Amino acid sequence: MTKIKKHYLEIIFFVLFVVTRIPDLGHDVFNTDVWKWKARTYDFGTGVFTLDFEKTIQKYHPGVTLMWLGTFAVKAYNLYASLSKDNSLTEGLGLIFGLHFTQKLFVTFAIGFSLSVAFYVLRSLFGLKYALISAAFLVLDPFYIGLTRVFHLEGLMSSFMLSSFLLFYWFLKERKTGRLIYSGIFAGLAILTKTSAVYMIPFFGLALLMDFLMTGRKSLGKYVKALVFVVFITLLTFVILWPAMWTYPLKALNELYRGVFSVGVEQDHEQFYYGKFVGDPGVSFYFVVLALKSSVYLIPGLVGYAFVRKRMNKDEKRFVLFCFAFAAFYFVQLSIPSKKLDRYILPSLIALILISSFFYYKLIDGLKKTYYAALVLLFLPAAFFMVRLHPDYFAYYSPYFGGLKKGIFVIEPKWMFGQREIIEALRTIDPPFVFSTFSENIDALGERDLSERRVVGFQEKYYTQIWPFVKESGMIPVIASLTPHANKAEFFVYPVWDDSSHLENRFSLKLVKPVYFNDAEVYRIYQKIN
């Protein structure tokens, strides 16, 4: 009970985080490679429960924490389905959406716990007011919301990195070994999630060096011992929680090496950048991402920080310096490889949010009677964007730089949004169709069956993200590049930023309906006319 009383604010924070993430959680988005991660999770779980630990090597990322969470979620879902005796939960779309919700819920639990730890550290360091403002700016950031609502790595890794960083900074301030242990554990969890988090190890060294130079302490040996200890805890966590490291350590490490140097550094990732198809978007890319994907609070907060700095105490200024170092050096690490994606910037974005929060904290901290009214007004824009975007948070582009209408032509949306708008547009195209259930295999449907249904073609990277929603509506989704199936399609959907309909040479297409999301044209529906 004493522990509960001590941490009741963190418990409330955790509960609120989970509850606010639940709406539409299993029915919002299927990211491009979610099916691969689901398959990897199944193989990972099989390897764990059959003691075939080599199967826990599934990907060079390595994604171990995601697969552990996914495995536990599968077990929990199967137990729930067996107790409920509802057949719809174990077959077809009921199984797909139900399991998707459960797996993402377990990821939400892990992220919520990590953020609760971060909240506790911030509250202990700078008081409740700053902790509330900074934590709220983070959990209400549209980009962060989107990346923490998918069965994927970035949101999970970044949250672990945040907790590790804050605990390590707290250790530097008060030198309690327990904080160093917990920091190492979270760093190990982050690296188990994605190899990009190996950054935490050199950052520990950098942070210790900064502290050594700033405090003027002469006991260099204690700094070296702290570095060795936290790295040991990090690596110990890495080994304990990855079964492959117990039996096939060299193979596991070789896979990680291949992922970092062969895939991450040497291979490009083709994408649309400023309307052109490029492999490496160059050093400007992440600056553009920060401009387009940061919330409406971040840039004003960073600018405003310069004006409130004089009102900040020594500890606050010191913390900002460490946050800036964390963000800047991670930013540099991201810019070196040729493979660049917008979501990779999240750890740097989180650290910048902590800095910008000081501006808003100092802005309203002096208020007394009107403090809570000012706090409500402060978060009204965040509430507006949440309502306007939900559940399509990947549709967010900063209104300071043209918003969605212009942003999609600068940085290509890698993960789909607007699925509901597409379905509704397809439903309302004349002539009306009677939508009904159908066989899972389109090849089993005859001409008469097809005439009673609406067959829609999508580019493959979007098909993987929308097919459950299309099937749920009673329509039949197909991959446009597969000619036998495309020949059976009556309609084709293309995104406006990658409208390759003019390249179609198998049959003629005509535009029948644009699809809008919040007043911006985002997709176009074409009909096959011969």
Side-chain angles (χ1 to χ4, degrees), residues 277-316:
F277 206 52
V278 300
D280 182 353
V283 294
S284 68
F285 181 71
Y286 288 114
F287 289 101
V288 175
V289 171
L290 281 176
L292 289 177
K293 286 297 185 178
S294 60
S295 75
V296 294
Y297 297 97
L298 183 65
I299 295 176
L302 292 176
V303 174
Y305 166 75
F307 295 95
V308 300
R309 192 173 186 277
K310 291 182 179 180
R311 294 167 50 192
M312 295 172 62
N313 61 43
K314 184 178 178 180
D315 286 340
E316 292 170 340

CSV table of all heavy atoms in Angstrom, one decimal, residues 277-316:
chain,number,residue,atom,x,y,z
A,277,PHE,N,11.2,10.2,-57.0
A,277,PHE,CA,11.4,8.9,-56.4
A,277,PHE,C,12.9,8.8,-56.2
A,277,PHE,O,13.7,8.8,-57.1
A,277,PHE,CB,11.0,7.8,-57.4
A,277,PHE,CG,10.6,6.5,-56.8
A,277,PHE,CD1,9.8,6.4,-55.7
A,277,PHE,CD2,11.2,5.3,-57.3
A,277,PHE,CE1,9.4,5.2,-55.2
A,277,PHE,CE2,10.8,4.1,-56.7
A,277,PHE,CZ,10.0,4.0,-55.7
A,278,VAL,N,13.3,8.7,-54.9
A,278,VAL,CA,14.8,8.7,-54.6
A,278,VAL,C,15.1,7.5,-53.7
A,278,VAL,O,14.3,6.9,-53.0
A,278,VAL,CB,15.2,10.0,-53.8
A,278,VAL,CG1,14.9,11.2,-54.7
A,278,VAL,CG2,14.4,10.2,-52.5
A,279,GLY,N,16.4,7.1,-53.7
A,279,GLY,CA,16.9,6.1,-52.8
A,279,GLY,C,17.3,6.7,-51.4
A,279,GLY,O,16.8,6.3,-50.4
A,280,ASP,N,18.2,7.7,-51.5
A,280,ASP,CA,18.7,8.3,-50.3
A,280,ASP,C,18.3,9.8,-50.4
A,280,ASP,O,18.8,10.5,-51.3
A,280,ASP,CB,20.2,8.2,-50.2
A,280,ASP,CG,20.8,8.9,-49.0
A,280,ASP,OD1,20.0,9.5,-48.2
A,280,ASP,OD2,22.0,8.8,-48.7
A,281,PRO,N,17.4,10.3,-49.6
A,281,PRO,CA,16.9,11.7,-49.7
A,281,PRO,C,17.9,12.7,-49.2
A,281,PRO,O,17.6,13.9,-49.3
A,281,PRO,CB,15.6,11.7,-48.8
A,281,PRO,CG,15.9,10.6,-47.8
A,281,PRO,CD,16.6,9.5,-48.6
A,282,GLY,N,19.0,12.3,-48.7
A,282,GLY,CA,20.1,13.2,-48.3
A,282,GLY,C,20.0,13.7,-46.9
A,282,GLY,O,19.1,13.4,-46.1
A,283,VAL,N,21.0,14.6,-46.6
A,283,VAL,CA,21.2,15.1,-45.2
A,283,VAL,C,20.0,16.1,-44.8
A,283,VAL,O,19.8,16.3,-43.6
A,283,VAL,CB,22.5,15.8,-45.1
A,283,VAL,CG1,23.7,14.9,-45.2
A,283,VAL,CG2,22.6,17.0,-46.1
A,284,SER,N,19.3,16.6,-45.8
A,284,SER,CA,18.2,17.5,-45.4
A,284,SER,C,17.0,16.8,-44.9
A,284,SER,O,16.1,17.4,-44.3
A,284,SER,CB,17.8,18.4,-46.7
A,284,SER,OG,17.2,17.5,-47.7
A,285,PHE,N,16.9,15.5,-45.1
A,285,PHE,CA,15.7,14.8,-44.9
A,285,PHE,C,15.1,14.9,-43.5
A,285,PHE,O,13.9,15.3,-43.3
A,285,PHE,CB,15.9,13.3,-45.2
A,285,PHE,CG,14.7,12.4,-45.1
A,285,PHE,CD1,13.6,12.5,-45.9
A,285,PHE,CD2,14.6,11.5,-44.0
A,285,PHE,CE1,12.5,11.7,-45.8
A,285,PHE,CE2,13.4,10.7,-43.8
A,285,PHE,CZ,12.4,10.9,-44.8
A,286,TYR,N,15.9,14.7,-42.5
A,286,TYR,CA,15.4,14.7,-41.1
A,286,TYR,C,15.1,16.1,-40.6
A,286,TYR,O,14.2,16.2,-39.7
A,286,TYR,CB,16.3,13.9,-40.2
A,286,TYR,CG,16.3,12.4,-40.4
A,286,TYR,CD1,17.4,11.8,-40.9
A,286,TYR,CD2,15.1,11.7,-40.2
A,286,TYR,CE1,17.4,10.4,-41.1
A,286,TYR,CE2,15.1,10.4,-40.4
A,286,TYR,CZ,16.2,9.7,-40.9
A,286,TYR,OH,16.1,8.3,-41.1
A,287,PHE,N,15.7,17.1,-41.2
A,287,PHE,CA,15.3,18.5,-40.9
A,287,PHE,C,13.9,18.7,-41.4
A,287,PHE,O,13.1,19.4,-40.7
A,287,PHE,CB,16.3,19.5,-41.5
A,287,PHE,CG,17.6,19.5,-40.9
A,287,PHE,CD1,18.7,18.8,-41.4
A,287,PHE,CD2,17.8,20.2,-39.6
A,287,PHE,CE1,19.9,18.8,-40.8
A,287,PHE,CE2,19.1,20.2,-39.0
A,287,PHE,CZ,20.1,19.5,-39.6
A,288,VAL,N,13.6,18.2,-42.6
A,288,VAL,CA,12.3,18.4,-43.2
A,288,VAL,C,11.3,17.6,-42.4
A,288,VAL,O,10.1,18.1,-42.2
A,288,VAL,CB,12.3,17.9,-44.7
A,288,VAL,CG1,10.9,18.0,-45.3
A,288,VAL,CG2,13.2,18.8,-45.5
A,289,VAL,N,11.6,16.4,-42.0
A,289,VAL,CA,10.7,15.6,-41.2
A,289,VAL,C,10.4,16.3,-39.9
A,289,VAL,O,9.2,16.3,-39.5
A,289,VAL,CB,11.4,14.2,-40.8
A,289,VAL,CG1,10.5,13.4,-39.8
A,289,VAL,CG2,11.5,13.4,-42.1
A,290,LEU,N,11.3,16.9,-39.2
A,290,LEU,CA,11.1,17.6,-38.0
A,290,LEU,C,10.1,18.8,-38.2
A,290,LEU,O,9.2,19.1,-37.4
A,290,LEU,CB,12.3,18.2,-37.4
A,290,LEU,CG,13.2,17.2,-36.6
A,290,LEU,CD1,14.5,17.8,-36.1
A,290,LEU,CD2,12.4,16.7,-35.4
A,291,ALA,N,10.3,19.4,-39.4
A,291,ALA,CA,9.4,20.6,-39.7
A,291,ALA,C,8.0,20.1,-40.0
A,291,ALA,O,7.0,20.7,-39.5
A,291,ALA,CB,9.9,21.3,-40.9
A,292,LEU,N,7.8,19.0,-40.7
A,292,LEU,CA,6.5,18.6,-41.1
A,292,LEU,C,5.8,17.7,-40.1
A,292,LEU,O,4.5,17.7,-40.1
A,292,LEU,CB,6.6,17.8,-42.5
A,292,LEU,CG,6.9,18.7,-43.7
A,292,LEU,CD1,7.1,17.8,-44.9
A,292,LEU,CD2,5.8,19.7,-44.0
A,293,LYS,N,6.5,17.0,-39.3
A,293,LYS,CA,5.9,16.0,-38.4
A,293,LYS,C,5.8,16.4,-37.0
A,293,LYS,O,5.2,15.7,-36.2
A,293,LYS,CB,6.6,14.6,-38.6
A,293,LYS,CG,6.3,13.9,-39.9
A,293,LYS,CD,4.8,13.5,-40.0
A,293,LYS,CE,4.5,12.7,-41.2
A,293,LYS,NZ,3.1,12.3,-41.2
A,294,SER,N,6.5,17.5,-36.6
A,294,SER,CA,6.4,17.9,-35.2
A,294,SER,C,5.1,18.6,-34.9
A,294,SER,O,4.5,19.2,-35.9
A,294,SER,CB,7.6,18.9,-34.9
A,294,SER,OG,7.5,20.0,-35.7
A,295,SER,N,4.7,18.5,-33.7
A,295,SER,CA,3.4,19.1,-33.3
A,295,SER,C,3.4,20.6,-33.4
A,295,SER,O,4.5,21.2,-33.6
A,295,SER,CB,3.0,18.7,-31.9
A,295,SER,OG,3.7,19.4,-31.0
A,296,VAL,N,2.2,21.2,-33.3
A,296,VAL,CA,2.2,22.7,-33.4
A,296,VAL,C,2.9,23.4,-32.2
A,296,VAL,O,3.1,24.6,-32.2
A,296,VAL,CB,0.7,23.2,-33.4
A,296,VAL,CG1,0.1,22.8,-34.7
A,296,VAL,CG2,-0.1,22.7,-32.2
A,297,TYR,N,3.2,22.6,-31.2
A,297,TYR,CA,3.9,23.1,-30.0
A,297,TYR,C,5.4,23.1,-30.1
A,297,TYR,O,6.0,24.0,-29.4
A,297,TYR,CB,3.5,22.3,-28.7
A,297,TYR,CG,2.0,22.2,-28.4
A,297,TYR,CD1,1.2,21.2,-28.8
A,297,TYR,CD2,1.4,23.2,-27.6
A,297,TYR,CE1,-0.2,21.2,-28.5
A,297,TYR,CE2,0.1,23.2,-27.3
A,297,TYR,CZ,-0.7,22.2,-27.7
A,297,TYR,OH,-2.0,22.1,-27.4
A,298,LEU,N,6.0,22.2,-30.8
A,298,LEU,CA,7.4,22.0,-30.7
A,298,LEU,C,8.2,23.2,-31.2
A,298,LEU,O,9.1,23.7,-30.4
A,298,LEU,CB,7.8,20.8,-31.5
A,298,LEU,CG,9.3,20.4,-31.4
A,298,LEU,CD1,9.7,20.0,-30.0
A,298,LEU,CD2,9.7,19.3,-32.4
A,299,ILE,N,8.0,23.7,-32.4
A,299,ILE,CA,8.8,24.8,-32.9
A,299,ILE,C,8.7,26.1,-32.1
A,299,ILE,O,9.6,26.7,-31.7
A,299,ILE,CB,8.5,25.0,-34.4
A,299,ILE,CG1,9.0,23.8,-35.2
A,299,ILE,CG2,9.3,26.3,-34.9
A,299,ILE,CD1,8.7,23.9,-36.7
A,300,PRO,N,7.4,26.5,-31.8
A,300,PRO,CA,7.3,27.7,-30.9
A,300,PRO,C,7.9,27.5,-29.5
A,300,PRO,O,8.5,28.4,-29.0
A,300,PRO,CB,5.7,27.8,-30.8
A,300,PRO,CG,5.2,27.2,-32.0
A,300,PRO,CD,6.1,26.0,-32.3
A,301,GLY,N,7.9,26.2,-29.0
A,301,GLY,CA,8.5,25.9,-27.7
A,301,GLY,C,10.0,26.0,-27.8
A,301,GLY,O,10.6,26.6,-26.8
A,302,LEU,N,10.6,25.6,-28.9
A,302,LEU,CA,12.0,25.6,-29.0
A,302,LEU,C,12.5,27.1,-29.1
A,302,LEU,O,13.5,27.5,-28.6
A,302,LEU,CB,12.5,24.8,-30.2
A,302,LEU,CG,12.4,23.3,-30.0
A,302,LEU,CD1,12.8,22.6,-31.3
A,302,LEU,CD2,13.2,22.7,-28.8
A,303,VAL,N,11.7,27.9,-29.9
A,303,VAL,CA,12.1,29.3,-30.1
A,303,VAL,C,11.9,30.0,-28.8
A,303,VAL,O,12.7,30.8,-28.3
A,303,VAL,CB,11.2,29.9,-31.2
A,303,VAL,CG1,11.4,31.4,-31.3
A,303,VAL,CG2,11.6,29.3,-32.5
A,304,GLY,N,10.7,29.7,-28.1
A,304,GLY,CA,10.4,30.4,-26.9
A,304,GLY,C,11.3,30.1,-25.7
A,304,GLY,O,11.5,30.9,-24.8
A,305,TYR,N,12.0,28.9,-25.8
A,305,TYR,CA,13.0,28.5,-24.8
A,305,TYR,C,14.0,29.6,-24.6
A,305,TYR,O,14.5,29.9,-23.5
A,305,TYR,CB,13.6,27.2,-25.1
A,305,TYR,CG,14.8,26.9,-24.3
A,305,TYR,CD1,14.7,26.5,-23.0
A,305,TYR,CD2,16.1,27.0,-24.8
A,305,TYR,CE1,15.8,26.2,-22.2
A,305,TYR,CE2,17.2,26.7,-24.1
A,305,TYR,CZ,17.1,26.3,-22.7
A,305,TYR,OH,18.2,26.1,-22.0
A,306,ALA,N,14.5,30.2,-25.7
A,306,ALA,CA,15.5,31.2,-25.6
A,306,ALA,C,15.1,32.4,-24.8
A,306,ALA,O,15.9,33.1,-24.1
A,306,ALA,CB,15.9,31.7,-27.0
A,307,PHE,N,13.8,32.7,-24.7
A,307,PHE,CA,13.2,33.8,-24.0
A,307,PHE,C,13.0,33.5,-22.5
A,307,PHE,O,12.9,34.5,-21.7
A,307,PHE,CB,11.9,34.3,-24.7
A,307,PHE,CG,12.1,34.8,-26.1
A,307,PHE,CD1,11.9,34.0,-27.2
A,307,PHE,CD2,12.6,36.1,-26.3
A,307,PHE,CE1,12.1,34.5,-28.5
A,307,PHE,CE2,12.7,36.6,-27.6
A,307,PHE,CZ,12.5,35.8,-28.6
A,308,VAL,N,12.8,32.3,-22.2
A,308,VAL,CA,12.6,31.9,-20.8
A,308,VAL,C,13.8,31.4,-20.1
A,308,VAL,O,13.8,31.1,-18.9
A,308,VAL,CB,11.4,30.9,-20.6
A,308,VAL,CG1,10.1,31.5,-21.2
A,308,VAL,CG2,11.7,29.6,-21.3
A,309,ARG,N,14.9,31.2,-20.8
A,309,ARG,CA,16.1,30.6,-20.3
A,309,ARG,C,16.6,31.3,-19.0
A,309,ARG,O,17.1,30.7,-18.1
A,309,ARG,CB,17.2,30.5,-21.3
A,309,ARG,CG,18.3,29.6,-20.9
A,309,ARG,CD,19.3,29.4,-22.1
A,309,ARG,NE,20.3,28.5,-21.7
A,309,ARG,CZ,21.4,28.8,-21.0
A,309,ARG,NH1,21.6,30.0,-20.6
A,309,ARG,NH2,22.3,27.8,-20.7
A,310,LYS,N,16.5,32.6,-19.0
A,310,LYS,CA,16.9,33.4,-17.9
A,310,LYS,C,16.2,33.1,-16.6
A,310,LYS,O,16.7,33.3,-15.5
A,310,LYS,CB,16.9,34.9,-18.2
A,310,LYS,CG,17.8,35.4,-19.3
A,310,LYS,CD,17.7,36.9,-19.5
A,310,LYS,CE,18.7,37.4,-20.6
A,310,LYS,NZ,18.6,38.8,-20.8
A,311,ARG,N,15.0,32.6,-16.8
A,311,ARG,CA,14.1,32.3,-15.6
A,311,ARG,C,14.3,30.9,-15.1
A,311,ARG,O,13.7,30.5,-14.1
A,311,ARG,CB,12.6,32.5,-15.9
A,311,ARG,CG,12.3,34.0,-16.2
A,311,ARG,CD,10.9,34.1,-16.9
A,311,ARG,NE,9.9,33.4,-16.1
A,311,ARG,CZ,8.7,33.1,-16.6
A,311,ARG,NH1,8.3,33.5,-17.8
A,311,ARG,NH2,7.8,32.5,-15.8
A,312,MET,N,15.2,30.2,-15.8
A,312,MET,CA,15.4,28.8,-15.4
A,312,MET,C,16.5,28.6,-14.4
A,312,MET,O,17.5,29.4,-14.5
A,312,MET,CB,15.6,27.9,-16.7
A,312,MET,CG,14.5,27.9,-17.6
A,312,MET,SD,14.8,27.1,-19.2
A,312,MET,CE,15.3,25.4,-18.7
A,313,ASN,N,16.5,27.7,-13.5
A,313,ASN,CA,17.5,27.5,-12.6
A,313,ASN,C,18.7,26.6,-13.2
A,313,ASN,O,18.5,26.1,-14.3
A,313,ASN,CB,17.0,26.8,-11.3
A,313,ASN,CG,16.4,25.5,-11.5
A,313,ASN,OD1,16.9,24.6,-12.3
A,313,ASN,ND2,15.3,25.3,-10.8
A,314,LYS,N,19.7,26.4,-12.5
A,314,LYS,CA,20.9,25.7,-13.0
A,314,LYS,C,20.6,24.3,-13.4
A,314,LYS,O,21.0,23.8,-14.4
A,314,LYS,CB,22.0,25.8,-11.9
A,314,LYS,CG,23.3,25.1,-12.4
A,314,LYS,CD,24.4,25.3,-11.3
A,314,LYS,CE,25.7,24.6,-11.7
A,314,LYS,NZ,26.7,24.7,-10.6
A,315,ASP,N,19.8,23.6,-12.5
A,315,ASP,CA,19.5,22.2,-12.8
A,315,ASP,C,18.6,22.1,-14.1
A,315,ASP,O,18.8,21.1,-14.9
A,315,ASP,CB,18.7,21.6,-11.7
A,315,ASP,CG,19.6,21.3,-10.5
A,315,ASP,OD1,20.8,21.2,-10.6
A,315,ASP,OD2,19.0,21.2,-9.3
A,316,GLU,N,17.7,23.0,-14.3
A,316,GLU,CA,16.9,22.9,-15.5
A,316,GLU,C,17.7,23.2,-16.8
A,316,GLU,O,17.6,22.5,-17.8
A,316,GLU,CB,15.8,24.0,-15.4
A,316,GLU,CG,14.7,23.6,-14.4
A,316,GLU,CD,13.8,24.8,-14.1
A,316,GLU,OE1,14.1,25.9,-14.4
A,316,GLU,OE2,12.7,24.5,-13.5
